[in-house]
Amino acid sequence: MKKGALFLLFFIFFGCKNQTHDPDDSLSDISEKSFRSFKVEDSNYIDLKQFWAPFQDELSIFSSDRYETLKPLVMNQDIPTLQKFIKQGKLRYEELTLFYLYRIKSFDRMNEKSLNSVISLNPNIIKDAKEKDLNRPENLSNFSIYGMPILLKDNINTYDMVTTAGAVALLKNHTDDAFVSKQLKASGALILGKANLSEWAYFFCGDCPSGYSTVGGQTFNPYGRKTLDTGGSSSGSAVAVAANFCAAAVGSETSGSILSPASQNAGVGLKPTIGAISRTGIVPISSTLDTAGPITKYVIDNVLIFNGMIGKDRDDFKSKTVAAIDINVLQQSNFQGKRFGAIQSLLKDSLYTAAVNLLKRNGAKVITITPEDVDLPDFLRLLNLDMKVDLPTYFKWHANTNLPYDGVQSIIDFNALDSLKRAPYGQKLFIGIVADDATNKELESIKSILKTNGRAYFDSVMKFHQLDAVLSINNYHAGYAAVAEYPALTVPMGLSDEGAPKGFTFIAKPHQEPELYAWGYQFEKAFEKRPTPNNYN
């Protein structure tokens, strides 16, 4: 069967790329595709003069010499190291922000290296950074995200910037902050801007490349521009992290949309347990499966962003109170006595085998497993039926009240008025949403069967072998983890012979984020330094 079927969505989508068993061939419409030529590359909706106008004065005096001086202090550093340099007076939050703006201007748009990963910038970011410098607490911990410039995927509402989900229809969607945006700000983070994405979280066109949105253009992978896929749908978030355009980023996933781009851009990506992070104020696909999550260069940064995002949200019916990750416990963890399942069919991958052997050398017990084939019937229908209800709910409660839309059909109608500019790859999946229908009883049955089957895929082998986690690659088993509502963490494990980054992915039971982070942290510490993209240093 085809590899990659459950590679789902923008939040979701790249759930099962290269999976050896394809639970539902219909999911190929929301899977990664091997595009090497593109109908549209650059955005037709971003005015670069207007884009950079708020920062023109400050950037004009931020010299190339100062940029070069700061490079060793900022490039490929983790957040605690950045905080240490700021504490030592070698760096300021304003300079850190200007450094990232300088790199975005140099590499992200309208040149031979353009990545198209940033869709908008916070016009107040320099003022906000100056305020962080003035008000920095004296005894601020290095394990703080205070003053750290963060990019948010452009389906997450922010007060300072429009939220488009990459769609022309939402170019005037000025909103209040999403719950997670408020949480990050309350933790001291700076919202630098919004990251490009696969339009509508890759649940829109069906026959289009991942990383493309009409507003943001085509995102490219810095490890192989136009030769390697970015993954999706949180493509801009992962690319921006890899290219050192921000201290960290936030993506979203329904089924693989964090795990896929994070792994394909040598990043660390967490798809948390559903309910650990609020979804309120995020343009939805599925209230059953959607979640936001951090994408970073290093595990410690991922932990810090996760801690800054969590919080009980009374407006999200799946939201739960989650404890922050204890940094001391994380640093003292090890693999002794841990039991992991390595999937037999993946051991032909040399990077995976090397990662498994590294765990063994560091005290873990690894058991070779072959999970039983499990179908995920009506996966695509679940997304159809959820979005049919969830998008109107977003428009009613969380979008700009002046928008004239009430659901999927109204977006289809808007795009049809100028389809070449608004939907150059078509809108096949949106049309499929409108055509689908089910009773509430049928929908609940679909949800129940998918969750049961997804959990059975992991639980049968985990129970028999008393496993702490299952080991995967990239987002190969993200579809099963999605419907099971199990968390997953991917950590870089090197480059393939073709130069493509790959991720070593831990999948565990619900609310085992502390364990996932401990394993990822120790794996990263024992492994060689993460690869960086050669052409963007």
Side-chain angles (χ1 to χ4, degrees):
M1 292 185 181
K2 286 185 293 184
K3 296 181 177 181
L6 280 181
F7 199 174
L8 299 187
L9 321 168
F10 167 47
F11 281 47
I12 299 179
F13 293 136
F14 297 105
C16 301
K17 180 177 181 278
N18 295 328
Q19 185 177 306
T20 56
H21 170 65
D22 183 349
D24 184 346
D25 283 340
S26 69
L27 292 177
S28 61
D29 284 336
I30 51 177
S31 300
E32 176 188 301
K33 300 171 182 66
S34 297
F35 280 78
R36 292 297 176 265
S37 60
F38 308 93
K39 289 184 179 181
V40 182
E41 293 189 8
D42 295 316
S43 169
N44 293 314
Y45 292 90
I46 295 176
D47 181 334
L48 285 183
K49 185 176 180 179
Q50 184 179 353
F51 192 82
W52 289 107
F55 324 107
Q56 183 174 343
D57 292 343
E58 287 84 355
L59 282 173
S60 67
I61 58 176
F62 184 77
S63 67
S64 58
D65 288 343
R66 185 56 181 159
Y67 168 75
E68 292 297 332
T69 299
L70 293 178
K71 276 181 76 172
L73 299 178
V74 180
M75 291 284 286
N76 300 311
Q77 303 289 6
D78 60 26
I79 288 174
T81 301
L82 294 175
Q83 295 285 19
K84 181 185 71 173
F85 289 148
I86 289 168
K87 183 181 293 185
Q88 293 171 346
K90 297 178 180 179
L91 184 64
R92 291 180 290 112
Y93 296 119
E94 180 188 2
E95 285 189 312
L96 180 61
T97 300
L98 285 167
F99 181 91
Y100 291 135
L101 290 173
Y102 186 98
R103 285 187 61 78
I104 293 168
K105 190 171 185 180
S106 299
F107 293 118
D108 204 48
R109 292 278 167 186
M110 301 297 185
N111 61 61
E112 69 278 2
K113 291 187 177 182
S114 61
L115 298 172
N116 299 336
S117 66
V118 180
I119 204 168
S120 63
L121 291 168
N122 178 359
N124 303 309
I125 188 64
I126 295 177
K127 176 179 70 69
D128 294 345
K130 288 178 178 179
E131 290 176 356
K132 294 300 181 187
D133 283 316
L134 287 173
N135 300 311
R136 186 180 186 276
E138 283 188 22
N139 298 315
L140 183 71
S141 167
N142 288 344
F143 298 100
S144 169
I145 61 173
Y146 179 95
M148 292 294 107
I150 309 298
L151 285 171
L152 305 182
K153 185 176 182 177
D154 195 28
N155 61 343
I156 301 173
N157 283 0
T158 49
Y159 176 78
D160 296 313
M161 291 159 283
V162 68
T163 298
T164 72
V168 179
L170 300 188
L171 278 173
K172 295 182 180 180
N173 187 30
H174 297 279
T175 69
D176 293 329
D177 282 332
F179 185 90
V180 294
S181 304
K182 293 177 182 176
Q183 292 296 97
L184 288 167
K185 289 181 179 179
S187 299
L190 291 166
I191 307 303
L192 174 62
K194 308 292 276 296
N196 198 12
L197 68 166
S198 307
E199 189 167 340
W200 294 104
Y202 214 19
F203 201 56
F204 172 59
C205 42
D207 299 309
C208 55
S210 58
Y212 171 77
S213 77
T214 311
V215 173
Q218 180 65 52
T219 309
F220 295 114
N221 190 321
Y223 291 87
R225 189 178 182 275
K226 295 191 181 183
T227 62
L228 298 176
D229 197 281
T230 59
S233 58
S234 305
S235 51
S237 298
V239 168
V241 167
N244 285 277
F245 293 164
C246 56
V250 176
S252 65
E253 174 159 332
T254 308
S255 172
S257 288
I258 290 172
L259 298 177
S260 166
S263 58
Q264 291 181 214
N265 291 276
V268 177
L270 174 75
K271 179 262 181 179
T273 306
I274 306 298
I277 293 175
S278 164
R279 293 90 55 81
T280 300
I282 301 178
V283 181
I285 291 173
S286 166
S287 58
T288 306
L289 304 181
D290 289 351
T291 181
I295 298 176
T296 60
K297 288 187 284 290
Y298 303 104
V299 173
I300 189 64
D301 299 341
N302 212 278
V303 170
L304 299 180
I305 301 299
F306 175 81
N307 283 350
M309 294 172 71
I310 58 176
K312 174 71 172 177
D313 175 14
R314 61 182 177 81
D315 293 325
D316 182 348
F317 72 99
K318 287 203 172 187
S319 180
K320 298 178 178 64
T321 300
V322 175
I325 307 298
D326 188 317
I327 302 300
N328 291 324
V329 173
L330 179 81
Q331 293 175 324
Q332 295 167 14
S333 62
N334 59 61
F335 287 120
Q336 297 297 324
K338 303 303 177 187
R339 297 173 62 85
F340 299 109
I343 297 174
Q344 175 72 56
S345 61
L346 300 183
L347 288 169
K348 61 186 178 183
D349 186 297
S350 59
L351 292 178
Y352 181 78
T353 300
V356 167
N357 289 337
L358 184 147
L359 296 189
K360 292 177 181 178
R361 292 196 300 271
N362 284 272
K365 176 70 173 178
V366 181
I367 297 92
T368 301
I369 60 172
T370 302
E372 295 182 10
D373 282 350
V374 174
D375 290 328
L376 299 182
D378 292 321
F379 199 141
L380 188 60
R381 290 201 69 208
L382 170 61
L383 306 182
N384 285 343
L385 298 169
D386 268 356
M387 195 171 187
K388 198 167 190 175
V389 173
D390 295 337
L391 188 58
T393 300
Y394 172 84
F395 284 140
K396 182 176 181 179
W397 297 108
H398 304 295
N400 188 282
T401 55
N402 293 321
L403 293 179
Y405 315 114
D406 57 7
V408 175
Q409 183 64 57
S410 59
I411 300 295
I412 294 173
D413 294 342
F414 171 83
N415 289 333
L417 295 175
D418 193 352
S419 59
L420 288 178
K421 290 184 178 180
R422 297 173 182 177
Y425 292 98
Q427 40 190 340
K428 175 181 177 180
L429 292 174
F430 264 29
I431 292 169
I433 293 170
V434 173
D436 207 344
D437 200 10
T439 64
N440 289 338
K441 183 177 180 180
E442 288 172 326
L443 176 57
E444 290 307 311
S445 175
I446 289 170
K447 291 180 183 179
S448 177
I449 291 170
L450 285 171
K451 188 171 185 177
T452 298
N453 289 11
R455 293 197 168 188
Y457 181 82
F458 296 109
D459 291 356
S460 58
V461 289
M462 293 182 80
K463 182 177 181 180
F464 184 81
H465 295 288
Q466 297 181 306
L467 302 178
D468 293 292
V470 171
L471 306 173
S472 184
I473 298 174
N474 292 14
N475 62 327
Y476 289 10
H477 299 88
Y480 294 110
V483 294
E485 300 186 20
Y486 283 6
L489 179 76
T490 189
V491 184
M493 64 175 181
L495 300 176
S496 71
D497 292 340
E498 295 76 31
K502 285 191 175 182
F504 192 50
T505 303
F506 299 83
I507 302 172
K509 293 291 186 73
H511 300 293
Q512 285 196 296
E513 281 82 0
E515 289 81 2
L516 286 171
Y517 277 134
W519 303 328
Y521 181 82
Q522 294 303 324
F523 176 81
E524 179 184 77
K525 194 164 71 169
F527 200 64
E528 295 180 6
K529 185 179 179 182
R530 61 177 285 275
T532 58
N534 293 328
N535 294 328
Y536 296 88
N537 289 325

